[in-house]
Structures are given as C-alpha cells and as structure tokens.
Amino acid sequence: QDTGYAATDPNVSQYNLKTYVGCSVKFGGVYVGSLCVVYQHNFNPTEDDKNVVGIIASAIGVEEERRSAEETSRLSHFAMDRASDPVFWVDNESRILYANEAACVLFGYSAEEAKNMTVGDVAPDFMQPRWSDSWNRAKNNPSFTVETVSRKKNGILFPVEVTVNYI
C-alpha cells in the first residue's frame, strides 16, 4: 500500500490489494507487458513462487513468438501459392518439397504428385554432369540463373529459365 505503484493503480485500493508479484513478458526481444499475481493479504513470495511467475511469463512470450511465426509461415505460403511464376522448394537431395499452383499448372502435376518427385523428374537436363559446376558454384553464390529444359507430365520438353536460390 505504501509504494508509488499503489498510488498509480486504482485497483490497489479498490480491491484492497496488498502484495504484487510480477514479471515482464518479452515478444520479439521487446518488453510487451507483464504477468502479475496480486494478493489481498500480505504475502511474502518465495524464490520458487517468483520462478513460477517467470516461467509462465516466459512461456507466454514463447507462445506469442510461435503464433507470430505460424502467421508469417501462413502468409508466406499464401504468397507463394498465388505467385504467377512456378516455384519449387527442393531439399539437398533434389527432392521436391513444395510446388506452388503455377508450377502445378505449368507442369501438369498435382501438389501431392510433385512432392513425390525430384528435380530430375521435371528438369532432367538439370541433373546431367555438365551442371555439376553450376551446383558447386551455388554453394558459394546463393543465387544463380540458368537456361535449361524442363519436362511436363505429358512428356513435352520446353525451354525454361531457372533461378536457384539457396538458404
């Protein structure tokens, strides 16, 4: 009751609050609020009590980070799905992990079919030994563009310009 905080918070007198235990909540490395536990009687919190409040405040921050990352991922997928250029996400073994709608339309595969394929299935020329220098250069240069030949589901070959970006 005798602190500066008590004088500024109308809830202290309205609810006859005596003890306050609080911990800051961080989100994105920035303090965004606090988690507070208040008592209507004098209470001397133990270190364990304070640690529990700190753990819960930390968990709130982690959950907000997770939700933010989930929303970013959802928006990124939405943008990729709606891109007018074909996009494939490929792993280090050349397996296709993702194909956007434009890629599916151009190549004639469903997204599920594409996930069971490799780069060699849609760009057989790209897997030839003559491209090994390009792949080796890509390890030092995270982005490069080449012209090659791709193959649609119906077997038709067609020229493409491919930009490869490594992360």
Side-chain angles (χ1 to χ4, degrees):
Q1 294 289 337
D2 300 329
T3 66
Y5 176 79
T8 62
D9 187 340
N11 294 313
V12 172
S13 61
Q14 181 178 354
Y15 296 105
N16 195 28
L17 303 177
K18 303 285 186 196
T19 304
Y20 168 99
V21 180
C23 187
S24 300
V25 175
K26 282 175 116 177
F27 170 61
V30 176
Y31 291 104
V32 295
S34 63
L35 173 67
C36 307
V37 181
V38 292
Y39 298 87
Q40 291 179 319
H41 61 278
N42 287 324
F43 175 74
N44 190 11
T46 66
E47 286 304 310
D48 284 344
D49 294 329
K50 294 174 188 176
N51 286 338
V52 167
V53 172
I55 290 168
I56 294 169
S58 178
I60 290 169
V62 167
E63 177 61 14
E64 288 302 315
E65 294 278 354
R66 185 197 63 77
R67 281 204 262 177
S68 177
E70 192 175 82
E71 178 67 6
T72 299
S73 176
R74 188 182 70 74
L75 292 173
S76 295
H77 271 279
F78 177 80
M80 283 293 176
D81 284 341
R82 301 306 182 273
S84 58
D85 288 331
V87 175
F88 289 104
W89 290 346
V90 179
D91 69 10
N92 289 334
E93 281 79 46
S94 299
R95 292 182 299 236
I96 296 172
L97 303 174
Y98 165 83
N100 73 349
E101 290 176 17
C104 292
V105 168
L106 177 65
F107 286 88
Y109 294 100
S110 71
E112 284 305 310
E113 286 175 311
K115 285 182 185 177
N116 294 314
M117 300 170 65
T118 67
V119 170
D121 295 323
V122 295
D125 188 50
F126 224 32
M127 303 309 292
Q128 299 300 317
R130 66 188 178 99
W131 289 105
S132 62
D133 283 344
S134 293
W135 292 115
N136 289 331
R137 276 195 324 258
K139 293 174 186 169
N140 297 323
N141 180 7
S143 180
F144 67 95
T145 301
V146 296
E147 291 181 9
T148 187
V149 175
S150 285
R151 178 180 26 223
K152 295 183 180 199
K153 184 177 181 177
N154 63 11
I156 293 175
L157 296 174
F158 63 101
V160 293
E161 180 180 89
V162 177
T163 300
V164 177
N165 292 296
Y166 277 91
I167 56 170

